[in-house]
Amino acid sequence: MVNRMFIDNCKNLIIQLDNLNLNALINSREKTPCEENLRVLRNYANHATIPISGLTTESSTNSEPKIRPTIKRNDLKGHFNKHDKSIINNWSESEIEIMSEITKANTIIQKLIRAIIQEFVKIRIIDREIEQIKSDKKYGKVF
């Protein structure tokens, strides 16, 4: 659930650093369905253990077997606000596969980090220092 908070922090940074013109780098300040699902689950996890309702297994001859936990809407106990109820009610087949949500969130995080670093460096760091960073094998991939 930490990646959900990180996405919020990246978007907040984009909003706060208006002089960097980062707003165009994200599709919207609105949360994606994946972000909303993780937010609901993060909030739920603050008060109770998330009930893993089932496991989907996937295997192929080319890769390692994967086990994907699922959460069923009916297994979530407690009171939800109107917004969270609407998010949960949008889950297909009354359940959600948590690993795909985390994978989507990680993709969003990687895009946001790359975009923030690139724009920040372009505006705040002089060309000579940029060339030095590009020559560093570890960070050069960002550019």
Side-chain angles (χ1 to χ4, degrees):
M1 300 306 141
V2 170
N3 57 6
R4 173 67 194 106
M5 292 185 294
F6 188 79
I7 291 171
D8 277 345
N9 290 338
C10 284
K11 287 187 174 185
N12 287 336
L13 179 65
I14 286 171
I15 292 166
Q16 291 173 11
L17 297 176
D18 279 338
N19 63 328
L20 293 182
N21 298 319
L22 295 170
N23 292 329
L25 300 173
I26 56 174
N27 293 334
S28 168
R29 290 182 184 173
E30 298 300 315
K31 293 173 179 59
T32 65
C34 157
E35 292 175 71
E36 288 287 9
N37 288 333
L38 289 176
R39 187 190 61 73
V40 168
L41 292 174
R42 180 201 63 206
N43 291 346
Y44 187 87
N46 284 333
H47 305 288
T49 302
I50 296 176
I52 303 300
S53 306
L55 295 173
T56 303
T57 56
E58 177 186 303
S59 63
S60 70
T61 56
N62 299 339
S63 64
E64 294 181 26
K66 296 178 184 175
I67 299 174
R68 299 180 179 193
T70 55
I71 300 166
K72 290 187 179 175
R73 175 176 36 216
N74 295 337
D75 291 341
L76 296 174
K77 305 295 182 209
H79 301 285
F80 297 94
N81 64 38
K82 194 177 194 178
H83 177 74
D84 289 359
K85 281 181 189 176
S86 71
I87 299 299
I88 294 169
N89 288 332
N90 283 328
W91 292 355
S92 62
E93 301 177 23
S94 302
E95 65 183 23
I96 188 168
E97 187 180 280
I98 189 65
M99 292 311 292
S100 63
E101 298 299 307
I102 291 171
T103 301
K104 290 174 199 170
N106 285 338
T107 302
I108 293 168
I109 288 171
Q110 289 171 0
K111 287 179 182 178
L112 286 171
I113 288 174
R114 191 171 292 121
I116 290 169
I117 290 171
Q118 286 174 344
E119 289 301 310
F120 184 85
V121 167
K122 273 192 244 175
I123 293 171
R124 300 272 173 100
I125 299 180
I126 61 175
D127 290 339
R128 184 172 36 105
E129 291 173 341
I130 291 174
E131 291 307 316
Q132 187 176 359
I133 292 170
K134 284 182 180 179
S135 67
D136 186 332
K137 291 178 183 176
K138 182 176 178 183
Y139 298 106
K141 291 183 253 179
V142 174
F143 302 95

